């Protein structure tokens, strides 16, 4: 892969940026996310997190040594009308 290969399509983060983060000691998806914004786009890392984990494995870091990313609610987008309907039924 080339250095300008896009690893995170939502935030347009390149392979080079991810590799720099890993080479500088960033070894978890959460740390990589905070440093590069990879995984902060619309898909919330559903696509790029597997690519980043593969890259970590290729660089010799076992997945069991890399903490899983933290999940924050909502896990999926929720329309505001769903909340309003719940309030009306209570």
């Amino acid at each position: 892969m080339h250095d300008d290969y896009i690893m995170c399509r939502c935030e347009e983060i390149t392979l080079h940026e991810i590799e720099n983060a890993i080479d500088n000691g960033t070894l978890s998806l959460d740390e990589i996310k905070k440093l590069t914004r990879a995984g902060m786009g619309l898909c919330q890392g559903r696509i790029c997190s597997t690519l980043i984990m593969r890259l970590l494995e290729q660089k010799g870091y076992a997945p069991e040594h890399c903490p899983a990313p933290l999940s924050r609610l909502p896990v999926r987008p929720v329309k505001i009308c769903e909340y309003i309907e719940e309030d009306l039924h209570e």
Side-chain angles (χ1 to χ4, degrees):
M1 284 190 273
H2 298 285
D3 282 350
D4 59 350
Y5 177 81
I6 301 291
M7 293 286 284
C8 175
R9 290 185 276 171
C10 299
E11 294 293 320
E12 297 181 5
I13 307 301
T14 64
L15 172 62
H16 179 72
E17 291 173 279
I18 302 293
E19 284 182 328
N20 276 345
I22 295 169
D23 293 341
N24 288 319
T26 308
L27 302 178
S28 74
L29 288 175
D30 272 339
E31 290 175 345
I32 291 170
K33 181 178 183 178
K34 289 173 186 171
L35 188 64
T36 66
R37 294 196 49 83
M40 289 186 163
L42 289 175
C43 82
Q44 292 294 293
R46 288 183 189 95
I47 296 170
C48 63
S49 62
T50 55
L51 294 173
I52 295 169
M53 286 304 292
R54 279 193 209 143
L55 183 60
L56 284 166
E57 288 177 28
Q58 288 173 0
K59 290 189 168 280
Y61 301 103
E64 57 270 8
H65 298 298
C66 302
L70 301 173
S71 296
R72 292 180 178 82
L73 295 176
V75 176
R76 63 177 177 79
V78 178
K79 293 181 181 178
I80 194 71
C81 65
E82 292 179 29
Y83 288 111
I84 294 171
E85 289 173 8
E86 280 187 29
D87 286 342
L88 293 175
H89 295 297
E90 291 179 0

